[in-house]
């Protein structure tokens, strides 16, 4: 029996039991058999959820790029590591072999070194989905620099916040990006961000759209000439198991985004193991995850997990709707994709279009379909299953988070029977618990509660950059001795989990986590706004959309309101990015508040969702009359 590659349900249960009974032994065997180490660990695991302090494979030394690249060179140098499919289908796809990837990563690593980047320095990567993105990530890992990839849809001010929070020394960007029929001036956004940053010493610029941009003397350099002059040999830096590999920001319910810190060995072992099992990747398969590398899904399941398994991973620059809604399926046919991993919001958007867009293409290569980022509703699940998978490719509804680093709850295809809307069973090594509001674990089946994890797993984030206290408060303080996910879940009669959604003030819009507080802060910046409250409401494509209740300093005329709505969304776009724009903005005279001054969001959520038959107890409100008023003005 191999612990690393599970092929049947009985095997899954056996491996799972072992992983719970002897977790250290379980992970140690996997680490031992499937990776290359420069030095073995002294201790598999030490942990304390009180502090919290978690260490995996302490004492071990390695470099993750040797595991993702070098070791495949002996046998698989000519195998395609990365397929790059450009935004424009008329532009040729690029196939980058492991041999070529090695050279390009090494050359990039040498460029970073020549620019003064050293082990431990933070490098901000703000790039579109072009090969340089994956290569720069790996180049940082090669020399032990900590990458902080910022999704290239974020605004200049969001970019500046992230650069400053982790004092990055360098930004890697491009002249611009393609997004469907549009181009975006990425370099302009970086320039604007850098007006508010003091730690950046250099900016490397990849050429993508060949636009006319300005380069700041002494700071900005074109990337390609530097790469052309660099050696393609670069010795990998020796890293300790717990050295940080990267920082990735995720929204919290309050305040600043949280820079989740992932470390080297545990993250590698966790993402590689979950990739292998959840996608049942076989040697000659072509695997495609449609996420952007700017999110954790791209880090773990476009770059590290697949490459650690010597897989062929496809990177797609474009969008599902360009040049038409058949684009995803065209790419599947063209590259004979075997595993396809996407988000429910994309599935819902495509399901709205004519079925011809799917039926036109030969999708017979598909073996496994994945879903991630938010609950997949039953209708979308069936559409995906019937029309894309033709009822023969199991759907893996994978639940996990930026913080968990890797997939936590998911079917293992061809082993776990799937059930629409259920992420089903925890993967080996993952010990979920459902908790009630009094902090007690709810045992048994057919129950629901708050989802926690009872025992550490290798790929979990170790801290929040520069704010360990916040890490402790957010994840380890709600329930004693447990990691709290922020999600609610139910467990059905056979023990399958269904994630029901966030139980905090994080709203998931089109699979993107958005905290309400930063959006409210942005709205309140408008000079006419006195106060605001943002809630989510159900949306048939995005899953959730944002509804803003806004109190104006002076109430104006209806005509003026339309302008205000535009201006408010403009401010949000500038502060966070277009993904955080409000779908509806209701101007109101007040917000329902408790006597202690807390906004009662539960009521606002119900009104936004047009679910006002039972608003619950409003007697504790300071201003119950305002509820009537808000209901009258609801959009
Ligand atoms: O609420 C859960 C939801 O997405 C949150 C994590 O978001 P993020 O850190 O951006 O990572 C997304 C990609 C891993 C979770 O707390 N979520 C993620 N996957 C699922 C999900 N909700 C339901 N079902 C899922 N499969």
């Amino acid at each position: 029996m191999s612990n690393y590659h599970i092929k049947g349900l009985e095997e899954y249960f056996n491996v799972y039991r072992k992983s719970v009974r002897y977790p250290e032994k379980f992970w140690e065997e996997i680490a031992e058999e499937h990776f290359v180490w420069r030095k073995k660990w002294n201790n598999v695991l030490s942990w304390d959820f009180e502090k919290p302090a978690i260490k995996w494979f302490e004492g071990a030394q390695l470099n993750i790029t040797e595991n993702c690249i070098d070791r495949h060179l002996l046998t698989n140098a000519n195998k395609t590591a990365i397929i790059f499919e450009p935004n424009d289908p008329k532009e040729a796809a690029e196939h980058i072999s492991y041999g070529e990837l090695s050279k390009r990563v090494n050359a990039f690593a040498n460029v970073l070194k020549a620019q003064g980047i050293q082990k431990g320095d933070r490098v901000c990567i703000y790039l579109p989905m072009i090969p340089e993105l994956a290569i720069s990530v790996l180049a940082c890992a090669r020399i032990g620099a900590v990458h902080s990839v910022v999704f290239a849809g974020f605004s200049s001010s969001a970019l500046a916040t992230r650069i400053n929070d982790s004092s990055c020394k360098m930004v890697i960007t491009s002249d611009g990006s393609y997004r469907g029929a549009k181009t975006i001036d990425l370099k302009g956004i970086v320039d604007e961000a850098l007006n508010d940053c003091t730690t950046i010493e250099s900016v490397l610029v990849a050429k993508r759209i060949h636009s006319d941009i300005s380069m700041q003397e002494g700071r900005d350099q074109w990337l390609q000439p530097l790469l052309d002059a660099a050696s393609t040999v670069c010795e990998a830096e020796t890293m300790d198991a717990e050295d940080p590999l990267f920082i990735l920001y995720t929204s919290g319910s309050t305040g600043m985004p949280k820079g989740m810190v992932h470390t080297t060995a545990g993250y590698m072992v966790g993402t590689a193991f979950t990739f292998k099992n959840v996608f049942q990747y076989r040697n000659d398969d072509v695997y495609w995850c449609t996420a952007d590398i700017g999110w954790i899904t791209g880090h773990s399941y476009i770059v590290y997990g697949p490459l650690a398994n010597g897989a062929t991973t496809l990177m797609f620059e474009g969008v599902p709707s360009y040049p038409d809604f058949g684009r995803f399926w065209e790419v599947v046919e063209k590259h004979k994709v075997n595993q396809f991993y996407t988000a429910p919001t994309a599935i819902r958007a495509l399901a709205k279009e004519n079925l011809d867009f799917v039926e036109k293409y030969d999708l017979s290569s598909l073996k496994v379909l994945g879903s991630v980022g938010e609950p997949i509703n039953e209708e979308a699940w069936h559409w995906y299953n019937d029309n894309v998978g033709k009822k023969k490719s199991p759907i893996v509804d994978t639940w996990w988070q930026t913080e968990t680093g890797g997939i936590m709850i998911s079917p293992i295809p061809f082993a776990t029977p799937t059930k629409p809307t259920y992420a089903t069973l925890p993967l080996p090594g993952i010990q979920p618990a459902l908790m009630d509001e009094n902090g007690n674990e709810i045992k048994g089946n057919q129950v629901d509660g708050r989802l926690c994890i009872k025992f550490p797993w290798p790929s979990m984030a170790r801290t929040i950059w520069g704010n360990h206290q916040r890490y402790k408060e957010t994840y380890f303080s709600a329930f004693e001795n447990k990691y709290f996910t922020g999600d609610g879940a139910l467990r059905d009669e056979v023990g399958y989990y269904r994630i029901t959604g966030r139980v905090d003030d994080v709203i998931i819009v089109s699979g993107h986590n958005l905290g309400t507080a930063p959006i409210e802060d942005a709205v309140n910046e408008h000079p006419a706004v006195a106060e605001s409250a943002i809630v989510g409401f159900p949306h048939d494509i995005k899953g959730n959309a944002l509804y803003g209740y806004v109190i104006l300093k002076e109430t104006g005329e209806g005509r003026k309101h339309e302008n205000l709505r535009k201006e408010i969304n403009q401010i949000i776009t500038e502060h966070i990015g277009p993904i955080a724009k409000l779908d509806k903005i209701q101007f109101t005279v007040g917000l329902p508040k408790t006597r202690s001054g807390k906004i009662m969001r539960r009521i606002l959520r119900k009104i936004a969702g047009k679910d006002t038959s039972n608003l619950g107890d409003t007697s504790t409100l300071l201003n119950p009359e305002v509820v009537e008023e808000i209901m009258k003005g609801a959009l």
Side-chain angles (χ1 to χ4, degrees), residues 599-610:
I599 298 170
M600 243 207 212
R601 289 169 193 277
R602 178 173 57 79
I603 292 174
L604 296 177
R605 273 196 286 268
K606 287 207 161 199
I607 297 174
K610 300 197 189 314

Side-chain angles (χ1 to χ4, degrees), residues 250 296-297 371-376 397-403 485 487 499 501-502 508 511 513:
T250 185
I296 191 68
T297 307
S371 170
V372 61
E374 56 184 311
I376 176 163
D397 177 357
T398 64
W399 172 82
W400 58 296
Q401 310 176 294
T402 305
E403 296 85 338
T485 65
D487 283 327
I499 313 304
R502 301 292 307 180
I508 304 194
N513 275 9

Side-chain angles (χ1 to χ4, degrees), residues 409-430:
I409 304 182
S410 167
I412 291 181
F414 311 106
T416 321
T418 59
K419 178 175 176 182
T421 77
Y422 282 76
T424 75
L425 298 171
L427 292 180
I430 308 305

Side-chain angles (χ1 to χ4, degrees), residues 218-509:
R219 186 194 72 182
D220 305 348
Q221 293 173 83
W222 289 108
L223 177 63
Q224 197 56 47
L226 300 177
L227 289 173
D228 292 342
S231 157
T232 56
V233 179
C234 177
E235 178 68 18
E237 184 72 39
T238 302
M239 303 300 287
D240 288 339
E242 285 295 337
D243 276 342
L245 175 65
F246 65 85
I247 300 169
L248 186 61
Y249 287 87
T250 185
S251 304
S253 43
T254 54
M256 287 272 294
K258 297 170 288 192
M260 303 313 306
V261 177
H262 282 283
T263 58
T264 307
Y267 176 81
M268 171 183 78
V269 171
T271 53
F273 172 77
T274 49
F275 173 77
K276 180 73 185 174
N277 286 293
V278 172
F279 299 104
Q280 291 291 309
Y281 184 85
R282 306 282 170 141
N283 266 340
D284 296 321
D285 288 346
V286 174
Y287 160 88
W288 179 21
C289 165
T290 69
D292 192 290
I293 293 176
W295 309 114
I296 191 68
T297 307
H299 281 61
S300 302
Y301 299 109
I302 296 178
V303 183
Y304 289 113
L307 297 179
N309 281 283
T312 299
T313 174
L314 192 149
M315 266 181 88
F316 176 48
E317 185 187 27
V319 293
S321 55
Y322 178 81
D324 63 39
F325 287 96
R327 182 68 164 127
F328 271 3
W329 320 125
E330 185 219 337
V331 176
V332 169
E333 178 184 284
K334 178 171 166 192
H335 296 292
K336 300 197 172 40
V337 171
N338 301 108
Q339 292 89 2
F340 177 74
Y341 191 26
T342 196
T345 186
I347 298 166
R348 286 189 297 263
L350 296 175
K352 278 210 155 0
E353 302 301 322
N354 199 315
L355 256 189
D356 288 351
F357 285 120
V358 191
E359 286 171 349
K360 228 163 94 180
Y361 297 101
D362 176 5
L363 305 183
S364 60
S365 57
L366 288 172
K367 294 195 285 195
V368 176
L369 302 178
S371 170
V372 61
E374 56 184 311
I376 176 163
N377 52 305
E378 190 133 9
E379 214 182 331
W381 194 98
H382 284 294
W383 186 88
Y384 199 24
N385 188 45
D386 296 354
N387 300 302
V388 181
K390 320 283 183 205
K391 295 193 171 132
K392 70 170 182 55
S393 301
I395 295 178
V396 288
D397 177 357
T398 64
W399 172 82
W400 58 296
Q401 310 176 294
T402 305
E403 296 85 338
T404 69
I407 298 170
M408 303 286 279
I409 304 182
S410 167
I412 291 181
F414 311 106
T416 321
T418 59
K419 178 175 176 182
T421 77
Y422 282 76
T424 75
L425 298 171
L427 292 180
I430 308 305
Q431 301 185 33
L434 294 181
M435 308 297 291
D436 69 18
E437 287 186 19
N438 302 320
N440 301 313
E441 182 171 352
I442 312 167
K443 302 268 185 176
N445 289 343
Q446 284 189 297
V447 292
D448 67 89
R450 287 161 188 236
L451 180 62
C452 286
I453 313 291
K454 293 196 268 196
F455 195 85
W457 61 101
S459 66
M460 67 191 293
R462 303 294 196 261
T463 188
I464 292 175
W465 184 267
N467 200 345
H468 197 66
Q469 186 57 27
R470 188 174 179 199
Y471 175 69
K472 179 183 166 116
E473 279 161 18
T474 313
Y475 305 106
F476 298 93
S477 301
F479 300 98
E480 204 183 337
N481 227 6
K482 288 182 183 64
Y483 166 84
F484 175 45
T485 65
D487 283 327
L490 61 82
R491 193 161 52 218
D492 77 356
E493 62 288 353
V494 299
Y496 275 16
Y497 288 87
R498 175 186 186 167
I499 313 304
T500 46
R502 301 292 307 180
V503 294
D504 55 12
D505 288 333
V506 171
I507 305 170
I508 304 194
V509 178

